[in-house]
Structures are given as structure tokens and as C-alpha cells.
């Protein structure tokens, strides 16, 4: 297998790197430069026609894309430690929180990124700056929702660190990179962030 990666601050490839570090999985990796447009090069488009990273090329020639899907595949091959939940209820809770983080937080963060950041101005034409700015309060509201959910629990889906925490960490750190910082008053989220960032895998 070959894992096609991209450097920080790209959040989706980072999710897979954190997952691999938590599992202790080693993969052959090819690092693509997003600023240099290597993910849009014909050689990579032959692997993933969407021109997006990450991608996992399997030995049989098939390719899996989308960060969570890649991690689900690797979880099935390497079930310990489980990062997608334990038992039916645990699995459902992790899946619920992955979806909530992606739909309620990552989506508005992505709109702020696409429509207000100078880096994306060269590829997102036209940028709808007013629309992008309108997503800032949506992102902050989602952070507040997550802060409330973290009351009395160490990790997003309960007592165990999971894929939900990996997804949230990648989004929160990317949001800060584009200027969407966690509000100081969100103490639960800030404490969670300290715990998640202290794990060795967070440096992956």
C-alpha cells in the first residue's frame, strides 16, 4: 500500500497520520505539495481523479480516498486499539460525533477558508467574501456546542480517545491556522485540546 500525504496545515491528511501513529501502523508514504499543485498533476489525477489528498493505493490497484474511509479500512485490518468505538453503542457514538464535527464545524470552517483566505483566492474564483465571513459565527457556535458536550467527559465520544477526537483536533487546529481561534470561555474544549495535543500522535 502507498499512502499519498500532504504536509500541515492540511487537516484531512493529518487525520490519517494521527490515526496511523495511534495504531503504530507504518505505510509507504508519498508526500505531495499542495502549494506546488502536485495533487493536480496528471500522475496523481490518474490515482485520484478528484485531485485531493489523502489517498491510499492498495496492492490490488484499487484506491481509497476520503480520510475517514481510509481510517475505517485500516481499522478493519488493525482492530487494536479500537478507534471507531467499542460495541454497537460505542461505534454509533463515534460515528455520530465524526459526522457532527464534519457537518457542523468543518463545513463552516471550510467556507471561511475558501471564501476569505488569501491563499485560496488564486483557486476559488470568485470568492464570496461576505458569505465566507457569515460562516465565522456558525463555526464558533459549533465549537460552543462541542464544549457543552464535553462537560464531564475526557473525550468527545466518552471515556476512550477515538476517531471523533482525531477529526476534531484536525479541524480545530486548522481553524486556528486560518484565524478562527477557540474562544477563551470554552473551557471544556480548551482542556480537551490540551489533552489531545499532548498525545504523541498529535505531532504526526
Amino acid at each position: 500500500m502507498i499512502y499519498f500525504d500532504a504536509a500541515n496545515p492540511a487537516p484531512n491528511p493529518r487525520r490519517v497520520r494521527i490515526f496511523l501513529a495511534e495504531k503504530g501502523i507504518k505505510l509507504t508514504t508519498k508526500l505531495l505539495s499542495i502549494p506546488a499543485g502536485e495533487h493536480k498533476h496528471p500522475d496523481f489525477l490518474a490515482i485520484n481523479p478528484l485531485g485531493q489528498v489523502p489517498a491510499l493505493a492498495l496492492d490490488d490497484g484499487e484506491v481509497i480516498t476520503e480520510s475517514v474511509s481510509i481510517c475505517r479500512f485500516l481499522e478493519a485490518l488493525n482492530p487494536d486499539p479500537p478507534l471507531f468505538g467499542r460495541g454497537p453503542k460505542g461505534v454509533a457514538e463515534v460515528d455520530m460525533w465524526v459526522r457532527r464535527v464534519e457537518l457542523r464545524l468543518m463545513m463552516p470552517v471550510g467556507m471561511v477558508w475558501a471564501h476569505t483566505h488569501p491563499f485560496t483566492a488564486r483557486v476559488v474564483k470568485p470568492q464570496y467574501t461576505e458569505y465566507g465571513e457569515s460562516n465565522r459565527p456558525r463555526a464558533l457556535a459549533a465549537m460552543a456546542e462541542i464544549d457543552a458536550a464535553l462537560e464531564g467527559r475526557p473525550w468527545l465520544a466518552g471515556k476512550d480517545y477515538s476517531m471523533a477526537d482525531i477529526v476534531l483536533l484536525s479541524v480545530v487546529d486548522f481553524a486556528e491556522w486560518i484565524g478562527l481561534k477557540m474562544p477563551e470561555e470554552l473551557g471544556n474544549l480548551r482542556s480537551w485540546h490540551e489533552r489531545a495535543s499532548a498525545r504523541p500522535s498529535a505531532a504526526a
Side-chain angles (χ1 to χ4, degrees), residues 5-15 17-18 31 35 174 177 202-204:
D5 195 3
N8 288 338
N12 292 320
R14 185 185 177 207
R15 295 176 182 182
R17 290 198 306 276
I18 294 173
L31 187 66
F174 182 71
W177 187 79

Side-chain angles (χ1 to χ4, degrees), residues 153-169:
R153 58 171 64 190
W155 302 113
L156 191 52
K159 65 182 181 66
D160 295 321
Y161 181 86
S162 73
M163 190 66 198
D165 299 291
I166 294 174
V167 172
L168 181 58
L169 183 63

Side-chain angles (χ1 to χ4, degrees), residues 162-203:
S162 73
M163 190 66 198
D165 299 291
I166 294 174
V167 172
L168 181 58
L169 183 63
S170 70
V171 176
V172 167
D173 285 349
F174 182 71
E176 181 166 1
W177 187 79
I178 67 170
L180 266 170
K181 295 185 177 182
M182 286 182 288
E184 290 290 337
E185 65 269 20
L186 301 184
N188 295 325
L189 182 59
R190 298 186 74 84
S191 294
W192 166 88
H193 186 260
E194 290 176 3
R195 290 191 295 275
S197 299
R199 296 177 75 89
S201 62

Side-chain angles (χ1 to χ4, degrees), residues 3 11-16 19 53-55 64-74 84 102 163 167 170:
Y3 174 57
N12 292 320
R14 185 185 177 207
R15 295 176 182 182
V16 180
F19 180 90
V53 282
I64 299 174
T65 62
E66 309 304 334
S67 60
V68 175
S69 299
I70 291 170
C71 293
R72 283 189 182 278
F73 173 77
L74 295 171
F84 280 90
E102 292 199 311
M163 190 66 198
V167 172
S170 70

